[in-house]
Amino acid sequence: MTLPRDYRGQTCALSRAMEVVGERWTLLILRDAFYGVRRFGEFAAHLAVPRAVLADRLAGLVAAGVLDRRPEPGTGRREAYVLTEKGLGLWPAVRALTDWGEQHAPAPGGPRRLFLHHADGARVGPDGHCSGCGTPVPPGDLLVAPGPGLGADAEGGADPGTEADPGTDVDPVAAALARPHRLLTPLLAPLPVAPVRRPSKGTP
C-alpha cells in the first residue's frame, strides 16, 4: 500500500516540513544541491536513484518552492535546478543531520566530508561558527572538502571519486567532490552546446 504524502491529523510545523522534505531521497537531493549539483543527470549518476523517483522528488521540491528550475546559462535548456531562498533555509537541518550521522553512524576512519571556512580554511563546527575566526559562516562561504573517512565506505569498498582504478566508471559528481569545493557554486561546468551544422552552398 502506498503511504500518503501528508500527515493526516498532524498539524504541527514539523509535520508540515516533513511533507516537503520527508520522502526517501529528498534530503540527499538537497544535500547534493548545496554541493552544487544542478542537472538531472548529475543527480541520477551520483545518487543511483531510479530516474522516475528522481523526477518526482525534483518536481515536488520545485512545486514547494525549495528548488527553482531554470535554463542553464550558456545552453538555453531548462535543466538546471537551483536552491531558492526557501531552500537555502534548510541548510542548518541538512548540516545537523550530517553531523548526527557522523557522530552516531560514523564512517571508518572519520568524517567523509569536512566543512571549512572559505576565508581562512579553518573548520566550521556544527553550530555554524568558524573555529578560526569565530564568525558564523553562511552556506555560500563554506568549502566542502574530503575528510579522512572518504577513502572507504561503510561496507569497506572504495569510495567513488577518490582512488578509483584506471578504467573504472566514476560518476563526475563524486570525482569533483574529491577536491575542495565551495558550496552553492556549480560543481560541474555546463555541457557544451553542439554547434548547428549548416548545409554548405549547393548541398541538396
Side-chain angles (χ1 to χ4, degrees):
M1 183 179 73
T2 302
L3 292 174
R5 296 190 181 208
D6 61 341
Y7 291 84
R8 295 169 187 172
Q10 299 294 318
T11 59
C12 72
L14 179 59
S15 66
R16 295 194 297 275
M18 290 294 289
E19 288 173 0
V20 177
V21 301
E23 291 196 270
R24 184 173 173 84
W25 297 109
T26 297
L27 283 171
L28 296 183
I29 291 168
L30 289 171
R31 175 206 63 187
D32 281 8
F34 278 104
Y35 286 171
V37 177
R38 294 195 168 187
R39 295 189 288 269
F40 184 94
E42 295 167 8
F43 286 109
H46 191 227
L47 297 173
V49 56
R51 296 177 76 86
V53 173
L54 177 60
D56 178 76
R57 300 297 186 268
L58 288 170
L61 290 169
V62 170
V66 172
L67 292 177
D68 185 25
R69 188 171 182 235
R70 61 182 65 166
E72 187 175 40
T75 68
R77 292 176 291 182
R78 295 185 59 82
E79 60 176 6
Y81 292 90
V82 181
L83 287 156
T84 63
E85 286 297 319
K86 185 176 180 179
L88 292 174
L90 286 165
W91 173 247
V94 173
R95 176 67 196 273
L97 285 169
T98 301
D99 290 325
W100 187 92
E102 293 290 6
Q103 181 179 356
H104 297 288
R112 294 168 58 84
R113 306 283 179 201
L114 302 177
F115 295 102
L116 312 176
H117 190 186
H118 180 263
D120 56 19
R123 291 280 296 271
V124 175
D127 63 354
H129 286 74
C130 175
S131 62
C133 63
T135 60
V137 183
D141 289 337
L142 283 172
L143 287 176
V144 58
L150 192 61
D153 60 21
E155 290 74 36
D159 185 83
T162 53
E163 298 178 351
D165 294 330
T168 300
D169 289 334
V170 177
D171 82 81
V173 172
L177 287 172
R179 300 177 297 275
H181 175 76
R182 194 165 180 172
L183 261 62
L184 302 181
T185 60
L187 188 61
L188 300 172
L191 296 173
V193 180
V196 177
R197 299 189 65 180
R198 300 181 183 278
S200 59
K201 189 175 181 179
T203 302

